[in-house]
Amino acid sequence: MARPNSTPAVDGLQAQFQQARSRALAQWQVLGERERFALTTVAVLLGLLLAWSVLLAPALRTLKTAPAELEKLELQLQQMQAQAQEASLLRKAPAVPAAQAQAALTAATANLGPAARLNLTGDRAVVTLTSVAPDKLQAWLGEVRSAARARPVEAQLTRGPKGYSGSLVLVLGGG
């Protein structure tokens, strides 16, 4: 009796599977007791290897690396919280007058030496950098942010072997 949802292709595959299964069972019966034991042992060992490599090894690896990963994530969280607190303090800080902001920006840029050129236009400043070391750029950005209350609105920087080169556009007078 044919099933309502079956198709000739599915029926054909099922028939082939049944034939292959019956041939394998017949072949199994032909084997001697030692051969059956050896094949059973190999199958069990392969099953254990598969269970180890798919189920247990990844779980053990995760358990081994989890404490270090958690510590790293906790450190990142603390850094993000510190940055959020700093941003909140900067937001609450009183605005710096334009002349004072320009003076602070000029002084900070002068600390970079000939590697930086400053061009002031109204409330915007364009700083052109040539081979500035990453730590000096980070310190300069921190000083500009806190002393001049300047915010970078556009950056076109490339990192080379001697440091960063490119330009930064800053807006002055932002709290």
Side-chain angles (χ1 to χ4, degrees):
M1 164 153 83
R3 283 177 247 141
N5 290 339
S6 66
T7 63
V10 172
D11 288 341
L13 284 175
Q14 286 178 343
Q16 287 178 352
F17 177 73
Q18 288 298 333
Q19 286 176 350
R21 184 171 182 251
S22 63
R23 273 185 276 163
L25 284 174
Q27 191 69 25
W28 180 261
Q29 296 300 326
V30 171
L31 293 175
E33 189 174 326
R34 291 177 73 190
E35 288 87 4
R36 281 192 225 156
F37 178 75
L39 284 175
T40 303
T41 303
V42 168
V44 167
L45 289 175
L46 284 174
L48 289 173
L49 176 67
L50 182 65
W52 171 261
S53 63
V54 172
L55 301 174
L56 295 174
L60 290 174
R61 190 174 328 115
T62 300
L63 284 174
K64 189 184 292 183
T65 60
E69 189 69 25
L70 285 174
E71 187 176 315
K72 181 177 139 187
L73 291 172
E74 184 67 31
L75 179 63
Q76 286 178 350
L77 176 64
Q78 289 172 0
Q79 289 173 343
M80 288 173 51
Q81 288 172 338
Q83 289 172 349
Q85 185 177 14
E86 181 182 1
S88 176
L89 290 174
L90 285 173
R91 217 176 288 118
K92 292 176 186 175
V96 174
Q100 186 179 347
Q102 288 180 358
L105 181 59
T106 303
T109 305
N111 289 338
L112 291 177
R117 270 192 345 256
L118 175 63
N119 183 11
L120 291 166
T121 309
D123 69 337
R124 288 188 175 249
V126 178
V127 180
T128 306
L129 304 171
T130 308
S131 299
V132 175
D135 56 335
K136 285 187 177 184
L137 179 60
Q138 183 180 7
W140 178 81
L141 282 169
E143 185 178 348
V144 165
R145 183 181 65 213
S146 62
R149 305 279 196 289
R151 292 175 298 139
V153 291
E154 184 180 332
Q156 295 179 350
L157 297 173
T158 57
R159 185 169 186 174
K162 294 183 180 179
Y164 287 97
S165 298
S167 65
L168 286 164
V169 178
L170 305 167
V171 174
L172 300 176

